[in-house]
């Protein structure tokens, strides 16, 4: 009888392992939650990056977008994939797309140095020092990019770095008037 009691924890552990493996095999690893698509950007005011500091100026995403279709990019100077996608953001700016940056949990001086080194594709950079806006947007990490219509509604979410023309096309299609909900 005592032998069976010694084996019970092992049986329970094996059963839990089987359940976990079964769940993992049914889960789609490419799934990216887009819960905010079709929703308004959060009404949250943040400091604006000015001369390497979180300046006294405050803005929110809707005001910063100035009533025009906009791409909002959440990035950080410490984020390696953000360096990879940076040329694509510069290309968006060259195409005349308004791009707003949100420096996520980053030191303003490090953000300014990052932009000085790689170029600044952003019309404005908001400083999200504590990550609250990232949480409100449902961000799972950096980089993440959103296409936002002129009324502040998210039309497309892209998780991870923007690496090629297909990613750029998906974002710019989200800025097209036929995608707007109004």
């Amino acid at each position: 009888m005592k032998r069976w009691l010694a084996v019970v924890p092992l049986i329970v552990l094996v059963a839990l392992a089987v359940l976990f493996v079964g769940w993992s095999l049914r889960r789609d690893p490419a799934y990216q939650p887009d819960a905010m698509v079709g929703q308004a950007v959060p009404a949250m005011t943040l400091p604006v990056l000015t001369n390497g500091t979180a300046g006294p100026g405050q803005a929110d995403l809707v005001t910063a977008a100035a009533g025009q279709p906009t791409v909002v990019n959440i990035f950080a100077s410490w984020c390696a994939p953000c360096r990879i996608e940076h040329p694509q953001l510069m290309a968006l700016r060259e195409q005349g797309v308004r791009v707003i940056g949100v420096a996520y949990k980053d030191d303003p001086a490090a953000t300014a140095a990052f932009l000085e080194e790689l170029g600044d594709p952003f019309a404005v950079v908001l400083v999200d020092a504590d990550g609250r806006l990232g949480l409100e947007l449902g961000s799972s990490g950096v980089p993440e990019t959103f296409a936002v219509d002129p009324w502040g509604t998210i039309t497309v979410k892209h998780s991870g770095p923007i690496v090629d023309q297909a990613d750029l096309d998906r974002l710019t299609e989200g800025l097209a008037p036929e995608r707007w909900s109004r």
Side-chain angles (χ1 to χ4, degrees):
M1 183 69 163
K2 288 191 180 210
R3 285 186 184 183
W4 280 105
L5 290 176
V7 175
V8 169
L10 181 62
I11 293 171
V12 170
L13 185 62
V14 169
L16 288 173
V18 168
L19 285 172
F20 177 73
V21 169
W23 173 81
S24 296
L25 292 175
R26 290 188 331 195
R27 191 176 146 266
D28 181 5
Y31 174 72
Q32 297 176 353
D34 292 336
M36 289 299 292
V37 172
Q39 304 296 316
V41 292
M44 184 177 295
T45 303
L46 296 173
V48 175
L49 183 70
T50 308
N51 298 326
T53 62
Q58 300 274 316
D60 62 48
L61 288 179
V62 176
T63 303
Q68 55 186 303
T70 303
V71 168
V72 176
N73 178 256
I74 301 176
F75 75 102
S77 64
W78 46 262
C79 163
C82 296
R83 288 184 173 274
I84 293 169
E85 82 169 356
H86 203 79
Q88 304 301 334
L89 296 173
M90 296 296 284
L92 279 175
R93 188 184 92 190
E94 290 171 14
Q95 294 173 17
V97 175
R98 183 173 175 82
V99 183
I100 295 174
V102 177
Y104 181 76
K105 293 186 177 181
D106 203 2
D107 176 55
T111 300
F114 175 84
L115 296 175
E116 186 175 325
E117 175 189 346
L118 299 177
D120 188 353
F122 304 117
V124 65
V125 176
L126 303 177
V127 179
D128 188 15
D130 59 4
R132 283 188 1 236
L133 180 61
L135 286 174
E136 291 289 324
L137 285 168
S139 177
S140 58
V142 291
E144 280 194 345
T145 308
F146 301 85
V148 180
D149 72 15
W151 299 277
T153 302
I154 298 169
T155 59
V156 172
K157 176 184 176 182
H158 179 83
S159 296
I162 303 166
V163 294
D164 56 21
Q165 190 62 44
D167 292 341
L168 285 176
D169 291 345
R170 185 169 173 257
L171 281 170
T172 55
E173 287 170 10
L175 301 176
E178 54 271 11
R179 292 288 299 263
W180 302 342
S181 60
R182 302 204 192 269

